[in-house]
Amino acid sequence: MSRAHTVFKRNIGEAKQLSALHNFLLNNVPLPISHDDILRAQLVYSVSAFDKLMHDLILDGVVDIYLGGRAPTPKYLSEVLTMDTYIRMKNATIPPAEYFFRDAMLNKFKTISYQEPGKVADGLSYIWEESHKWVKISQLLGMSDSDAKRKLKLIAIRRNAIVHEADLDPVTHIKQSIDSQIVSDNTNFLESCGDAIEHLVS
């Protein structure tokens, strides 16, 4: 298990714990107090855990390529570094050149969200020379690539509605309903998806 995957399993496990908290409060703290925001938090944390896994796998992968540990991909070879980074790497002793390379790539990747299928596939192209990435991923998930991509996209849309729109219906301005079973299913899907990707690129 890679360092990135170890961190992912911990993060997704912590997100799953919110289901238990929600169930406890639902059974022990009477209404009219709503506990649904706990489920919204679980969905957001689950997507965050998946997003971080993608960032970590890609960053560790490009550094590994730089150090000669894995074969470069066309996307990696087409990456452009600034002259400042080039000079720092050329003159590096302590810290070594890979430190400045990693820092440059980290600054590039941190502005990108790896939450939607297209972005995930594009990011993985830095470290994985596979033309049909979602076909390979979905095979491990036991579903079609179209279904896998659709599910991930819908999860990302709901996550964005929670984070950017307070999960409010655009017409009524009332919070959209949320279901504990669906949230748990989405968390489990993200975990399985992350596991499959880590298996394929490691």
Side-chain angles (χ1 to χ4, degrees):
M1 185 180 292
S2 66
R3 176 200 65 85
H5 196 226
T6 300
V7 173
F8 170 65
K9 297 299 276 189
R10 185 184 70 227
N11 288 338
I12 205 78
E14 290 173 353
K16 284 183 173 183
Q17 290 174 6
L18 292 174
S19 285
L21 175 60
H22 176 265
N23 290 336
F24 174 82
L25 292 174
L26 194 64
N27 293 324
N28 293 279
V29 179
L31 296 175
I33 298 173
S34 173
H35 311 299
D36 286 352
D37 281 343
I38 296 172
L39 297 176
R40 293 184 178 92
Q42 179 180 341
L43 185 62
V44 171
Y45 291 164
S46 298
V47 174
S48 178
F50 178 80
D51 192 4
K52 178 168 175 51
L53 173 66
M54 294 301 101
H55 277 90
D56 288 349
L57 286 175
I58 295 165
L59 182 60
D60 290 349
V62 295
V63 173
D64 197 24
I65 293 172
Y66 176 77
L67 294 173
R70 62 195 299 165
T73 65
K75 187 171 181 66
Y76 171 90
L77 293 173
S78 67
E79 184 59 33
V80 177
L81 297 176
T82 65
M83 286 302 297
D84 178 63
T85 299
Y86 171 76
I87 291 169
R88 287 172 182 265
M89 290 169 61
K90 182 180 178 183
N91 297 329
T93 52
I94 300 176
E98 62 262 27
Y99 170 87
F100 297 105
F101 175 78
R102 183 184 184 92
D103 189 58
M105 297 307 291
L106 174 61
N107 285 330
K108 175 183 178 63
F109 295 149
K110 71 181 183 181
T111 63
I112 304 169
S113 294
Y114 295 114
Q115 301 174 5
E116 296 189 355
K119 289 288 184 69
V120 170
D122 185 61
L124 290 173
S125 293
Y126 279 103
I127 62 171
W128 187 25
E129 192 173 353
E130 166 60 53
S131 300
H132 305 287
K133 294 179 179 63
W134 277 104
V135 172
K136 297 292 187 181
I137 294 167
S138 61
Q139 284 175 348
L140 291 183
L141 296 174
M143 57 198 309
S144 70
D145 61 322
S146 59
D147 286 345
K149 289 188 288 186
R150 185 183 306 111
K151 190 171 183 69
L152 182 60
K153 188 167 187 176
L154 289 173
I155 292 171
I157 289 171
R158 187 61 187 272
R159 176 264 177 197
N160 290 339
I162 294 169
V163 172
H164 300 298
E165 301 165 7
D167 209 22
L168 299 178
D169 183 281
V171 176
T172 64
H173 300 293
I174 296 172
K175 282 194 175 184
Q176 301 181 75
S177 62
I178 193 162
D179 179 85
S180 60
Q181 184 56 52
I182 291 174
V183 171
S184 292
D185 177 65
N186 288 341
T187 297
N188 290 335
F189 170 79
L190 289 169
E191 181 175 22
S192 296
C193 195
D195 291 346
I197 291 170
E198 197 272 345
H199 175 76
L200 289 165
V201 303
S202 294

